[in-house]
Amino acid sequence: MADRISSITDLPLDVIVLVFPYLDVKSFLAFCSTCKGLHQNSISLDPAYWSHATRSTFRVPNQPVVQHDGVRWQKMYRRLLTQSRVYTWGSTTYNRLGHGYDPDAVRVARHAQRRFQHRQSTRCSFPTEMEKTRELGVIADMQCGGWSTTLLTSRGALYTAGVLDGMQGAIQSSSSADGPQPLGFPAGYPASADQAAYDEPTVAIRQFSSGRSHILALSDTGRIWSWYAVHRPALQIKFLNVDLKESPASGQSKSTTSLYGHVKKVVAGWSRSSAYIHGVGIVVWDPVQRDGDEETDATLVLDSAEVPCTGYQRIKGASRPAEEKQKRGQEIGVVTNHIMLEHFVVFATDTGKVFCARFGDQNAVESILELRSLRNSTGAACDVQGSFRSLAIFKNGEVITAHTDYLEACWDARHSNPDQTDIPGLKRIPALQQTNVISVAFGDYHFLALHSNGKITSYGTELQACGALGLGGDGDPEGRARGIRYTGFGHDGRMLPHAYTHGRQVWFEREKKRWITFMTSGGTNPDEAKERMRMFVTEVSVQGEISEWFEQQGRDWDKDPQIRDADEDGLGAYFALSVSAAGWHSGSLVLVNETLADRVTDMCTIRDPDLTDSEPDGDSEASPGILAASLTRLSNMGQAVINLGGNRNQTPAGQAFTNFLDPVNHGASPREGYKYVWADKSFPRLRLSDGREMPGRGDFDEWRYGRPEWKLGERFEQEVTAHW
């Protein structure tokens, strides 16, 4: 007979964890603190518990790549309570970003000609916090649509900035002063979950998806809602040929053991809507609108299409399935995720396979096709993400990207080349391989990757220098320092091949933007740096290396030993939880440690040593220190940059000279009486990878993390940067 159990710690771990789901966070922490045996990391940082607690409390969507990282989920839970912020960048038209103009850009634009001011007013190239979002409470998720940005609060309410369909000219967006607008429900329902007098699970949203011009959402009971305009109430989706079932609350059935007919997820695509329904599979239909009757609260979808072979389920304890279904399950597996592209549906299964299908008339799908080159040889499940014409596959630490041209080629060759041998189009961008990428968000011509360390990297092209990459710059030359090459009549900004080796991080510290502005203005001695800057502007290879040097120097400012004590959980000053992109703009949900961020700001700022003790502290009308010194050297700076032919922000030469006379404008000083720590630094002088030494009189600048070995050349550029 087994010894009598006298303590809960004598129980096996797999028995103890069965208690966890019944404990709220306060009770769970108290439980773990009762003894050393329960305080060990395998219990107190149980990933299943913290993932469930975070997702159920804040409605944060699951992140399969890190679902077993208990430390990450616990830190997210703690910081979401007070530190979630929403940042957006890119094209500002229709107020899709939910904030006013970039303050740095506006300050410069005040002195510029009208054409330049118009360009500035329609873009924001640096991440800027959305206005009036902190009063919404905890933001659980955000997604970008074609002309909009939509937020989900922890209470289950949706708010949108911009318009859902920018192609309808009569629709006008609200101003940023109004803040994001709530998405409402038909008469008879609470206006939104935030405004409900009691918990109403039929309108509390637990998952949503932004398409190009419409939004789909799934309520706690499993009800599907669809919006086609911000100021119009939602329509409930019902199907003629599919019997949907709802749960009593929290999106989980308590009255039955079967999930059949329950909606697991909704996905809005370019011009289609879809839902994954247990036991049915992926169901596709056209977006819906009212026919003039504003009192209509639901619509019956008469023409829906089911994607074949996507409804298989593995049910624990069920009797042995029929031989045909058993074979189907082994060959295809259970759908774990799906995406809606312009003409294709793509889905991944738990057998490590990826399938696609092309839509026909009325969204009909006749057959599916396995993308055999994307199969996970280990048999482990992989993930698929994407939108419009781009997709990414995650497997074994790899991130493989592709354009729909690849899907078209595989589909056209499904009979003549079933093994898809030698079909080009799959890309393995070096910066995305084995770098713990969690998700990839695609716009029309750009995309961003979120890494598990909370950093975001950008790739692709921002049309008309709209700022969708989030790297700052506002055109030449600051954007050049981040690896963007501006070309053509439209001034399109395309990432250089160098940027695909280690990526270019999106920075949230505005001091880094000021630093880049100062350095690309010529640094402390623009005349001495003139020849180096000429190389930087005219030679692509030099620009690539200079941009990588700036990239290394700009990383990890919040990891400095002087301020390490303010980083209690190791997540840094800005930790991105999610990233989203669509059309010409992007956004991110970010945890902000304001104490640490303020320490970074303080670390970058020092008193101007030329000030006398009798001068006021920072608010004097004139400062004979850095301001007086700048007036002398900036005369040369303005002419030096103008002579480079770089056409700095396309301003008239005389006006560019005027702007340079303000040390705050060009990034040398945060305010009168102070200067930045880089105010005495020169534009970098490097030993280039081709053996040349950049001209100049100062010492050579060293690489912070060593000069990379770039994989460059025409073939690399064609394979990695095609379609971007």
Side-chain angles (χ1 to χ4, degrees):
M1 179 180 293
D3 295 337
R4 182 179 179 180
I5 296 177
S6 59
S7 170
I8 192 173
T9 56
D10 294 333
L11 293 171
L13 181 59
D14 56 352
V15 174
I16 294 178
V17 297
L18 297 177
V19 179
F20 296 171
Y22 299 95
L23 304 176
D24 59 23
V25 171
K26 184 177 181 180
S27 300
F28 177 77
L29 293 175
F31 175 72
C32 293
S33 64
T34 55
C35 64
K36 292 182 179 179
L38 297 176
H39 198 61
Q40 56 185 309
N41 290 344
S42 59
I43 296 178
S44 62
L45 297 177
D46 179 61
Y49 177 81
W50 286 111
S51 172
H52 172 75
T54 304
R55 293 166 57 198
S56 60
T57 303
F58 301 111
R59 298 176 186 269
V60 174
N62 189 27
Q63 297 173 326
V65 178
V66 292
Q67 63 185 355
H68 300 300
D69 189 344
V71 176
R72 178 189 173 91
W73 284 110
Q74 187 208 46
K75 291 178 178 179
M76 285 172 56
Y77 183 94
R78 289 164 50 191
R79 292 183 60 169
L80 272 168
L81 289 168
T82 58
Q83 297 183 359
S84 63
R85 305 285 183 266
V86 184
Y87 288 81
T88 51
W89 56 90
S91 172
T92 64
T93 57
Y94 294 102
N95 189 40
R96 72 186 77 186
L97 302 185
H99 54 68
Y101 306 147
D102 183 298
D104 289 334
V106 170
R107 183 177 59 250
V108 177
R110 289 195 188 105
H111 306 290
Q113 60 183 1
R114 180 173 298 179
R115 181 165 67 93
F116 172 60
Q117 188 170 7
H118 174 72
R119 287 187 59 218
Q120 287 287 0
S121 68
T122 59
R123 72 183 184 193
C124 176
S125 64
F126 198 85
T128 302
E129 185 177 356
M130 290 184 70
E131 297 175 8
K132 295 185 178 296
T133 54
R134 298 195 189 187
E135 59 196 54
L136 301 179
V138 176
I139 305 300
D141 193 16
M142 71 165 295
Q143 292 188 32
C144 298
W147 301 272
S148 64
T149 302
T150 300
L151 312 176
L152 173 66
T153 72
S154 61
R155 286 178 56 94
L158 292 173
Y159 292 83
T160 294
V163 300
L164 296 191
D165 190 352
M167 301 300 291
Q168 299 184 26
I171 297 178
Q172 299 296 324
S173 61
S174 58
S175 70
S176 60
D178 298 329
Q181 299 300 297
L183 296 184
F185 295 87
Y189 292 90
S192 71
D194 278 346
Q195 299 178 24
Y198 52 88
D199 291 335
E200 177 48 67
T202 59
V203 299
I205 303 305
R206 61 182 169 95
Q207 183 260 325
F208 82 102
S209 176
S210 290
R212 176 175 181 259
S213 57
H214 72 293
I215 291 175
L216 287 178
L218 186 64
S219 75
D220 279 349
T221 61
R223 185 170 298 185
I224 301 176
W225 295 100
S226 180
W227 287 266
Y228 60 93
V230 175
H231 298 293
R232 301 288 177 82
L235 280 168
Q236 182 187 350
I237 301 298
K238 297 182 179 181
F239 300 101
L240 176 64
N241 300 317
V242 181
D243 184 20
L244 296 182
K245 296 181 180 179
E246 295 187 39
S247 303
S250 303
Q252 299 200 5
S253 176
K254 297 181 180 180
S255 60
T256 177
T257 58
S258 174
L259 290 176
Y260 185 88
H262 292 262
V263 182
K264 177 183 178 182
K265 181 180 182 180
V266 293
V267 178
W270 174 260
S271 58
R272 294 176 175 86
S273 299
S274 71
Y276 182 82
I277 304 173
H278 288 285
V280 178
I282 301 172
V283 178
V284 184
W285 69 96
D286 290 330
V288 298
Q289 293 191 15
R290 284 182 174 80
D291 296 327
D293 185 359
E294 293 297 327
E295 295 184 359
T296 302
D297 63 353
T299 183
L300 182 64
V301 177
L302 303 178
D303 297 316
S304 62
E306 298 176 14
V307 179
C309 306
T310 58
Y312 179 80
Q313 298 287 302
R314 304 185 198 278
I315 303 176
K316 295 181 179 180
S319 59
R320 183 178 180 84
E323 183 177 347
E324 181 180 351
K325 290 186 176 181
Q326 177 85 354
K327 184 178 180 181
R328 179 189 301 175
Q330 293 174 350
E331 292 179 352
I332 298 177
V334 178
V335 175
T336 56
N337 196 18
H338 80 278
I339 58 174
M340 299 290 291
L341 304 182
E342 184 181 23
H343 300 301
F344 284 87
V345 57
V346 183
F347 62 92
T349 69
D350 62 354
T351 58
K353 298 178 181 179
V354 181
F355 298 84
C356 75
R358 203 182 199 286
F359 294 112
D361 295 337
Q362 296 182 328
N363 303 316
V365 174
E366 296 182 356
S367 61
I368 63 174
L369 174 69
E370 183 190 355
L371 302 173
R372 299 193 178 184
S373 296
L374 297 175
R375 181 186 297 181
N376 193 337
S377 59
T378 66
C382 50
D383 192 21
V384 57
Q385 300 174 16
S387 61
F388 188 31
R389 296 173 180 169
S390 304
L391 70 152
I393 305 297
F394 297 69
K395 62 173 185 177
N396 306 328
E398 282 187 301
V399 178
I400 305 169
T401 57
H403 189 268
T404 50
D405 287 353
Y406 174 76
L407 302 182
E408 293 279 9
C410 292
W411 189 260
D412 293 342
R414 63 189 184 280
H415 301 303
S416 60
N417 183 11
D419 292 329
Q420 302 158 12
T421 306
D422 299 327
I423 295 181
L426 297 181
K427 306 178 183 65
R428 290 173 169 82
I429 296 173
L432 302 181
Q433 310 312 310
Q434 308 301 327
T435 55
N436 298 314
V437 176
I438 295 176
S439 63
V440 176
F442 293 94
D444 286 358
Y445 300 95
H446 72 288
F447 63 100
L448 303 100
L450 173 65
H451 302 255
S452 63
N453 62 357
K455 305 300 182 183
I456 299 171
T457 52
S458 290
Y459 311 86
T461 298
E462 49 183 32
L463 296 189
Q464 300 178 19
C466 66
L469 294 171
L471 300 179
D474 301 319
D476 294 339
E478 291 95 339
R480 291 178 178 271
R482 300 305 314 277
I484 304 175
R485 193 76 175 177
Y486 298 97
T487 59
F489 177 79
H491 207 57
D492 297 340
R494 186 179 185 184
M495 295 300 301
L496 293 175
H498 293 73
Y500 290 80
T501 298
H502 294 297
R504 294 291 181 265
Q505 285 186 7
V506 174
W507 295 335
F508 295 90
E509 299 92 342
R510 194 158 290 274
E511 290 76 24
K512 293 181 180 179
K513 178 178 174 63
R514 311 293 293 130
W515 167 59
I516 291 290
T517 298
F518 174 78
M519 298 301 282
T520 54
S521 295
T524 188
N525 192 340
D527 187 63
E528 184 273 336
K530 183 169 59 177
E531 289 304 315
R532 297 198 298 278
M533 294 183 67
R534 188 182 300 278
M535 295 175 66
F536 166 69
V537 169
T538 59
E539 298 186 38
V540 174
S541 61
V542 175
Q543 182 193 348
E545 296 197 31
I546 289 289
S547 69
E548 180 66 31
W549 183 87
F550 276 116
E551 178 71 17
Q552 292 190 14
Q553 292 294 319
R555 290 186 173 179
D556 300 329
W557 286 15
D558 55 359
K559 303 299 182 183
D560 190 280
Q562 301 179 51
I563 57 176
R564 186 177 299 166
D565 60 309
D567 190 9
E568 296 178 355
D569 53 17
L571 296 185
Y574 298 86
F575 187 91
L577 290 177
S578 65
V579 66
S580 182
W584 293 20
H585 71 296
S586 311
S588 177
L589 178 61
V590 183
L591 298 180
V592 182
N593 183 334
E594 293 184 350
T595 300
L596 182 58
D598 289 343
R599 293 284 294 276
V600 172
T601 299
D602 294 341
M603 188 177 64
C604 295
T605 306
I606 58 175
R607 287 289 304 270
D608 186 347
D610 293 331
L611 286 174
T612 63
D613 293 337
S614 61
E615 292 174 286
D617 186 6
D619 294 319
S620 59
E621 294 183 359
S623 163
I626 191 168
L627 177 57
S630 294
L631 289 176
T632 301
R633 70 180 184 83
L634 288 179
S635 298
N636 294 331
M637 177 188 294
Q639 194 60 49
V641 175
I642 292 168
N643 290 341
L644 290 176
N647 191 19
R648 179 184 180 88
N649 289 331
Q650 298 185 354
T651 59
Q655 190 61 60
F657 171 77
T658 301
N659 292 338
F660 279 131
L661 295 183
D662 184 353
V664 175
N665 269 355
H666 72 258
S669 169
R671 60 190 183 277
E672 291 183 356
Y674 289 81
K675 69 176 182 178
Y676 286 117
V677 294
W678 53 77
D680 299 319
K681 301 292 184 181
S682 299
F683 186 82
R685 183 186 181 208
L686 304 179
R687 294 184 176 91
L688 302 174
S689 59
D690 61 7
R692 291 184 295 166
E693 295 182 347
M694 297 186 72
R697 296 189 298 271
D699 295 335
F700 288 100
D701 290 280
E702 299 299 328
W703 292 85
R704 186 174 182 182
Y705 300 115
R707 185 172 61 202
E709 293 293 332
W710 289 288
K711 298 179 180 179
L712 303 175
E714 182 177 350
R715 180 178 178 182
F716 174 83
E717 184 171 359
Q718 183 177 3
E719 290 180 350
V720 174
T721 66
H723 300 296
W724 303 110

